[in-house]
Amino acid sequence: MSARAWQPPRRIDAIDFWLRARLLATAHALREALGPSARRWPAGAQASLADAPVLAQHRSPLWSDGRADEFPLVAGKVQNLRVARRAFDAVEVPAGELMSFWRQLGRPSASRGFVEGRELRGGCVVPTRAGGLCQLSNALATVAARAGFELVERHGHTARIEQAAPSESDAVDATVFWNYVDLKIRAPQAWRLEVALSSTELVLRIRGRLPPQQPQRPRPLRRHGAADPMPPVARGCLSCAQTDCFRHRAPADAAQAGRTAVLLDTASTPEFARYLETHHARADRLLATPVRLAFWRSAPGGSGPRDAAASTVQAPRLARVRRALWQRLWARHAGGRRQASLIDGQRWIAHALAARLAPDHTHLVVDQALLPHLQRIGALDGRRLTVLAAALPMAEIERRLDAAARRWPADPTLRDFRADAALVQAEALALARAEAIVTPHAEVLRHLARVAPQAALQRLEWHRPEAAAAPAARDEPPLVVFAASALARKGARELAAALQGLRCRLRVLGSPPEDARLWQGLAQVEHMHWRGERLLQGAAVAVLPAHVEHAPRALLRALAAGVPVVASTACGLSGLAGVQEVAPGDVAGLRAALLQALPSAPRATIAGAPATEAIRPS
């Protein structure tokens, strides 16, 4: 028997379908209320099977399984999969228990983030709320069948999507429709489901301790008779030529398939601003300009000139004010609590900006500070990713600070803060999915080349401030400028040790140390805010032997003024003329570099012995 000839849908048929669907959904809800057939398994609540062998895996394309002129519906489908993934990923189901697709997911409402996607109905691809979830049910049925699990309930589509490539031979068709057309699975062993969205694919894995059973062959579904086992290709409401149909819509412009969005925590740095104007001038900008609490209005700032064709969207004022108040509350507290408040603010801003992303934002250019928070809420799923990397990953920062703390165990500031382990892992996962990473920082680039080998790396040129006036004539003894506050992570203790026994003056561009004995043995020490006009006046050398340093602005200003620079490799200035690099924590190498930069600084003797021994690791 051949397939029935396609007939245009009628409004009366649509009304009849709507009424029958509501009646069936209501009846099913009542039955489930009286005696649930399955329970909802919490996602991520257990990890007992996280290291179990993979029993089965399935991959399906996200963006290439439809026509180009139906892109808006495909983008909506991917957004719906983004939202649904959180209900299924890292779910563990006990042996013999039932998993129901709808019990696990819940009602796919707009308030939960579901948008208009595509649904197969009556031989057509119809725009509908939460459309596209069948890709997840198809994949779930396929991977369950491969693992040898029982498909307790399964229903087939009446049509199929026009695909760019044929599906796998053992792929299982399993449609769902809230809430009575369901997919239910049972297994003889405990199992774990993992769901992930890369930039191009939906990936499902099932893990279990027992060997996989013989793959199940689902019972064939009777659609149009034995001679027509496969459903016909569906017509699309955005591509069908049936213009008199009440569902017909104007086709999408295939040339506009996908937009780029730039997500910034604050106004971008000069290096990133130049990169964005060169490579993403027409991208939408989503940013969180700081607020001035004194006047309750935005502070001046931005990310450079904007193209008229692009849009700029601010994070909600409430989120920005909340962050400003929170950071002001903790501004004068110890470094650990202050750093935690910064991360809290970044999380609020990341959530606010993610809510303003559109389904057709297929490429994100993301400020690294927002990266782990966007990863945790799934905003990166199904999208290409470029990272504006201003810093080392948190895991590497903590590793370097731990190494410094072993050298200087009496200094509590080296251990005053460690990020939440889940946040550290989220940042690592986000970097592992990045398509491209850009940074001006040489040390960040070197490290990311190891931890994110899949990404295309680009080093940007550091922004040089306008050439400053040459420093005034240098007095004796020579002046050493420490280009940071007197913090252990900035190399203050190494500098104090290296300067012992040298006749020189020291200017610290920032706050004094908590340990009043740090600069003991130096003849003259002064503190000055690094933005001051006189910071380099009389300087013989600018030095920063930091363990961690991501924004060496004072050193760049010194180079512009012609002042020699001695810096650790952690400052990221490799390759710049006028910079002499030393390894972080290398007191002997730092001292040798200072002696070379200060030829007129004779050694001095303090209390009869070289003062390099006055401060040593305890």
Side-chain angles (χ1 to χ4, degrees), residues 145-158:
R146 289 176 180 175
F149 295 176
E150 178 187 3
L151 301 182
V152 177
E153 179 180 344
R154 180 177 73 97
H155 306 268
H157 288 89
T158 58

Side-chain angles (χ1 to χ4, degrees), residues 337-499:
R337 181 58 261 184
R338 184 170 60 250
Q339 184 64 28
S341 72
L342 294 176
I343 292 179
D344 288 339
Q346 291 162 357
R347 182 177 71 255
W348 299 331
I349 295 302
H351 284 228
L353 295 182
R356 279 158 170 69
L357 289 172
D360 64 343
H361 280 135
T362 57
H363 179 206
L364 303 184
V365 182
V366 178
D367 187 328
Q368 185 182 0
L370 305 176
L371 198 61
H373 309 290
L374 296 172
Q375 169 69 24
R376 295 184 74 177
I377 62 177
L380 306 180
D381 290 349
R383 290 177 165 123
R384 296 164 49 219
L385 175 64
T386 297
V387 179
L388 305 179
L392 291 166
M394 286 181 280
E396 179 63 12
I397 292 174
E398 294 181 0
R399 188 193 69 79
R400 296 188 181 203
L401 292 180
D402 287 343
R406 290 191 292 271
R407 174 180 290 272
W408 308 103
D411 195 315
T413 64
L414 292 170
R415 295 187 182 273
D416 62 1
F417 176 75
R418 293 296 182 268
D420 179 70
L423 197 67
V424 174
Q425 182 185 27
E427 183 183 43
L429 292 173
L431 289 171
R433 72 192 305 163
E435 179 181 277
I437 300 176
V438 297
T439 180
H441 200 288
E443 186 69 6
V444 170
L445 194 75
R446 277 195 293 267
H447 179 74
L448 292 180
R450 296 193 297 271
V451 301
Q454 83 293 337
L457 302 178
Q458 178 181 354
R459 184 181 178 186
L460 307 177
E461 182 180 353
W462 281 108
H463 171 73
R464 301 290 191 95
E466 294 184 4
R474 297 165 183 169
D475 300 325
E476 293 293 336
L479 175 64
V480 175
V481 174
F482 181 48
S485 294
L487 299 171
R489 65 177 177 271
K490 300 301 182 184
R493 292 194 175 273
E494 285 80 4
L495 180 61
L499 289 179

Side-chain angles (χ1 to χ4, degrees), residues 4-64:
R4 293 179 301 169
W6 182 84
Q7 296 292 330
R10 301 178 301 170
R11 290 186 183 273
I12 188 64
D13 296 329
I15 295 172
D16 176 67
F17 176 86
W18 186 90
L19 290 173
R20 287 188 294 108
R22 294 304 180 274
L23 287 173
L24 290 169
T26 302
H28 182 82
L30 289 174
R31 286 194 301 269
E32 289 293 307
L34 295 174
S37 60
R39 57 169 290 190
R40 186 181 189 278
W41 306 102
Q46 299 182 36
S48 60
L49 296 174
D51 60 344
V54 175
L55 303 181
Q57 177 176 278
H58 177 68
R59 296 174 177 269
S60 56
L62 289 175
W63 300 99
S64 60

